[in-house]
Amino acid sequence: MIKLCRLDAIPENGSKGFTTVKGDFFAVKKASKIYLYENSCPHMSINLEWQPDQFLDHEKRLIQCATHGAQFLMETGECVVGPCEGDHLTQVSYKILDDTLYLPD
């Protein structure tokens, strides 16, 4: 397994990015639940963040692509605004052990 971070490193209604040997990923936390996605916009296959760990819109309600402003639901990764509307971010499975987030092998 690949260790990503401790759960408390991801703020409530916040996000955190990761670069691993398996690629780039990011996690968001909403209502104490973690969602993990590949860091790749379905419209242009580019990373989403505009600054390190900044994957959310200003209201911290939606994931937002910094390049073209597409917005995605945190819970499902579905694009609800923008050129890739109806597409989805790729959700990634994870494991939690001892309050630490891991990417499975």
Side-chain angles (χ1 to χ4, degrees), residues 7-70:
L7 296 179
D8 58 8
I10 308 166
E12 184 66 33
N13 296 316
S15 55
K16 183 155 185 62
F18 312 99
T19 297
T20 74
V21 296
K22 286 188 161 188
D24 294 334
F25 303 92
F26 69 97
V28 295
K29 186 188 290 184
K30 182 174 182 180
S32 299
K33 184 160 169 80
I34 302 289
Y35 303 92
L36 185 65
Y37 295 99
E38 288 183 7
N39 186 359
S40 181
C41 179
H43 176 235
M44 298 180 68
S45 298
I46 56 173
N47 286 5
L48 291 129
E49 76 272 28
W50 53 280
Q51 289 184 350
D53 300 327
Q54 300 296 314
F55 293 88
L56 303 180
D57 65 354
H58 291 292
E59 291 82 29
K60 296 185 178 189
R61 293 181 323 132
L62 298 167
I63 298 164
Q64 183 167 338
C65 178
T67 301
H68 61 274

Side-chain angles (χ1 to χ4, degrees), residues 46-104:
I46 56 173
N47 286 5
L48 291 129
E49 76 272 28
W50 53 280
Q51 289 184 350
D53 300 327
Q54 300 296 314
F55 293 88
L56 303 180
D57 65 354
H58 291 292
E59 291 82 29
K60 296 185 178 189
R61 293 181 323 132
L62 298 167
I63 298 164
Q64 183 167 338
C65 178
T67 301
H68 61 274
Q71 294 181 321
F72 306 85
L73 298 175
M74 290 171 69
E75 304 89 341
T76 64
E78 179 185 0
C79 182
V80 293
V81 174
C84 52
E85 193 167 341
D87 284 342
H88 288 78
L89 298 172
T90 301
Q91 200 160 30
V92 178
S93 63
Y94 61 84
K95 292 193 183 277
I96 297 174
L97 298 170
D98 298 323
D99 293 324
T100 302
L101 182 67
Y102 289 90
L103 189 63

